[in-house]
């Protein structure tokens, strides 16, 4: 499993990120976002959720 990253974190590698729960589990209706180099990860749907790189 990939490292969980807090929303708002910037300077992460470009790529696709998937929303996960606070402990890294799946989230119903999880968001999938694609960021470019230097972009900031967007907010998640629920406080406590995080992002993981696919």
């Amino acid at each position: 499993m990939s490292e969980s990253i807090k929303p708002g974190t910037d300077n992460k590698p470009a790529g696709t990120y998937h929303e996960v729960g606070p402990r890294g589990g799946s989230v119903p209706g999880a968001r999938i976002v694609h960021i470019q180099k230097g972009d900031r990860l967007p907010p998640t749907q629920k406080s406590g959720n995080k992002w993981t790189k696919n």
Side-chain angles (χ1 to χ4, degrees), residues 36-47:
Q36 300 298 322
K37 183 178 179 182
D39 285 352
R40 187 175 301 246
L41 286 167
T44 55
Q45 296 178 45
K46 184 178 178 187
S47 179

Side-chain angles (χ1 to χ4, degrees), residues 15-19 29-35 42 45 51-52 54:
T16 303
Y17 289 80
H18 184 81
E19 184 177 4
R31 292 176 59 200
I32 298 172
V33 297
H34 182 78
I35 65 168
Q45 296 178 45
W51 296 103
T52 187
N54 289 351

